[in-house]
């Protein structure tokens, strides 16, 4: 009857349905995925529920349009849980997923992930726990994580260009307040943060470099997406050694030869301004969402 026709018309317009729900459930489990993986997820979900009338996306723009419809349901205008955000990472030190990715890489690595839409992200007691949407960490473990973020993301930290010695991270246990963690508890917490994508470990190409190990901690993609506002609101811009250009392209600010960490040069800033229109269109991952954005399409590479 008429009701069935109305339902079919809604499905034909691509409104929120089983395809969208399956995609959201997958992101709730994986949290972050490469753009090409997200593209395949939407395509396979559309094939699984053909009656929903969702067209399989063929370009990054079409993928973004699909995620925009998801965000209307789960984001600020909907249930207020999170939104799917796009992130580019420009980091020559970051390991590629495969040899094929190394060959195909012609720009920043592109990811999509869930980003909290909670309004209040100031540095208050328990706020990091609320932002991380996890009850699995104690107050002491969250304090340790914030110490690691400070070491990695600020000029005064020991994490140079986003790399912190793994053992140095563990040894931050003694600075945890109001009561220090035990070393084994600190290591267990860090390993869990790595397993859940908040942190990542890589092998320093420079080797041990007078350290006990060549293993280094760095930000995980999940933190780059979901903790952008937390980092930006917790530390002043001039104290940060990382930047989210145009709210979507993550970069570490390199250290000059004379020591310390440099802000972007005037030439770089001018170049950024010249590319601002392009980047704003390409971006859509940061805090401004994906509304109306157009994307540089790496999905077909």
């Amino acid at each position: 009857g008429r009701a069935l026709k109305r339902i079919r018309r809604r499905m034909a317009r691509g409104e929120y349905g089983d395809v969208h729900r399956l995609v959201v459930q997958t992101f709730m489990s994986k949290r972050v995925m490469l753009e090409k993986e997200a593209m395949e997820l939407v395509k396979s979900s559309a094939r699984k529920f053909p009656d929903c009338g969702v067209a399989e996306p063929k370009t990054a723009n079409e993928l973004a349009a699909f995620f925009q419809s998801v965000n209307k349901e789960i984001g600020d205008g909907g249930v207020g849980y999170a939104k799917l955000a796009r992130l580019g990472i420009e980091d020559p030190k970051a390991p590629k997923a495969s040899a094929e990715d190394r060959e195909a890489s012609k720009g920043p690595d592109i990811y999509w992930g869930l980003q909290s839409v909670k309004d209040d992200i100031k540095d208050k007691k328990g706020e990091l726990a609320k932002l991380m949407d996890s009850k699995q960490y104690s107050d002491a473990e969250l304090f340790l994580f914030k110490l690691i973020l400070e070491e990695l993301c600020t000029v005064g930290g020991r994490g140079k260009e986003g790399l912190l010695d793994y053992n140095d991270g563990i040894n931050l246990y003694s600075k945890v307040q109001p009561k220090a963690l035990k070393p084994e508890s600190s290591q267990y917490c860090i390993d869990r943060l790595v397993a859940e994508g908040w942190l990542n470990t890589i092998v320093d190409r420079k080797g041990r470099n007078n350290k006990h190990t060549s293993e280094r901690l760095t930000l995980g993609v999940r933190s780059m997406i979901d903790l952008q506002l937390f980092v930006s609101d917790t530390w002043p811009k001039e104290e940060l050694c990382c930047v989210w250009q145009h709210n979507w392209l993550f970069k570490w600010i390199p250290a000059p030869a004379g020591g310390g960490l440099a802000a972007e040069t005037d030439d770089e800033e001018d170049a950024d301004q010249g590319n601002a229109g392009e980047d704003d269109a390409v971006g859509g991952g940061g805090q401004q969402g994906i509304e109306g954005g157009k994307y540089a399409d790496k999905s077909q590479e």
Side-chain angles (χ1 to χ4, degrees), residues 28-289:
M28 289 177 68
S29 174
K30 298 188 69 172
R31 305 301 298 193
V32 171
M33 62 184 73
L34 285 163
E35 185 167 69
K36 64 181 181 180
E37 295 173 334
M39 179 79 74
E40 184 53 41
L41 169 63
V42 177
K43 288 181 177 180
S44 63
S45 299
R47 290 192 293 267
K48 186 172 184 178
F49 298 103
D51 292 341
C52 289
V54 175
E56 295 183 29
K58 295 182 176 61
T59 67
N61 285 335
E62 293 175 357
L63 181 67
F66 174 84
F67 285 145
Q68 182 177 353
S69 64
V70 172
N71 288 344
K72 289 179 180 178
E73 182 72 18
I74 68 173
D76 292 312
V79 298
Y81 167 64
K83 66 181 178 182
L84 287 165
R86 194 174 192 253
L87 176 79
I89 304 176
E90 192 170 284
D91 184 3
K93 302 186 303 300
K96 303 296 181 183
S98 66
E100 179 183 353
D101 290 335
R102 287 193 293 272
E103 290 295 326
S105 180
K106 299 177 182 177
D109 294 327
I110 307 297
Y111 293 84
W112 283 90
L114 282 175
Q115 183 183 75
S116 172
V117 296
K118 296 179 176 66
D119 293 329
D120 184 10
I121 58 153
K122 301 299 181 182
D123 186 22
K124 299 177 181 177
K125 181 177 175 59
E127 189 56 47
L128 188 57
K130 184 166 62 176
L131 188 63
M132 291 169 65
D133 198 22
S134 173
K135 298 180 180 178
Q136 301 180 19
Y137 295 94
S138 67
D139 288 345
E141 289 172 327
L142 291 169
F143 198 104
L144 173 66
F145 184 34
K146 188 189 172 187
L147 289 174
I148 294 173
L149 290 175
E150 186 171 18
E151 295 287 348
L152 287 172
C153 298
T154 66
V155 174
R158 284 177 289 179
K160 302 306 180 186
E161 296 185 32
L163 296 178
L164 176 66
D165 179 70
Y166 180 80
N167 287 331
D168 286 345
I170 293 173
N171 290 336
L172 291 171
Y173 73 87
S174 61
K175 295 185 177 181
V176 172
Q177 298 177 2
K179 184 178 180 180
L181 285 170
K182 295 180 179 179
E184 57 269 24
S185 298
S186 179
Q187 181 174 4
Y188 176 69
C189 174
I190 288 173
D191 289 344
R192 277 176 41 212
L193 289 165
V194 171
E196 294 184 8
W198 297 107
L199 295 174
N200 190 19
T201 55
I202 66 173
V203 175
D204 195 338
R205 295 176 181 177
K206 298 178 182 178
R208 289 172 55 185
N209 196 22
N210 297 322
K211 299 288 185 178
H212 292 293
T213 176
S214 60
E215 189 173 13
R216 304 288 181 259
L217 292 171
T218 189
L219 282 187
V221 178
R222 186 174 180 181
S223 287
M224 293 177 185
I225 290 177
D226 209 12
L227 300 185
Q228 176 183 351
L229 280 176
F230 179 82
V231 171
S232 300
D233 279 10
T234 302
W235 295 282
K237 180 180 178 181
E238 59 271 15
E239 292 183 14
L240 292 176
C241 59
C242 58
V243 63
W244 284 265
Q245 284 187 341
H246 311 301
N247 274 336
W248 83 284
L249 181 60
F250 180 88
K251 294 181 178 181
W252 295 106
I253 302 174
L261 284 161
E264 293 175 307
T265 65
D266 291 339
D267 290 342
E268 288 171 331
E269 288 178 352
D270 291 342
D272 288 338
Q273 290 299 320
N275 294 326
E278 178 184 352
D279 283 344
D280 287 341
V282 168
Q287 309 312 320
Q288 295 176 346

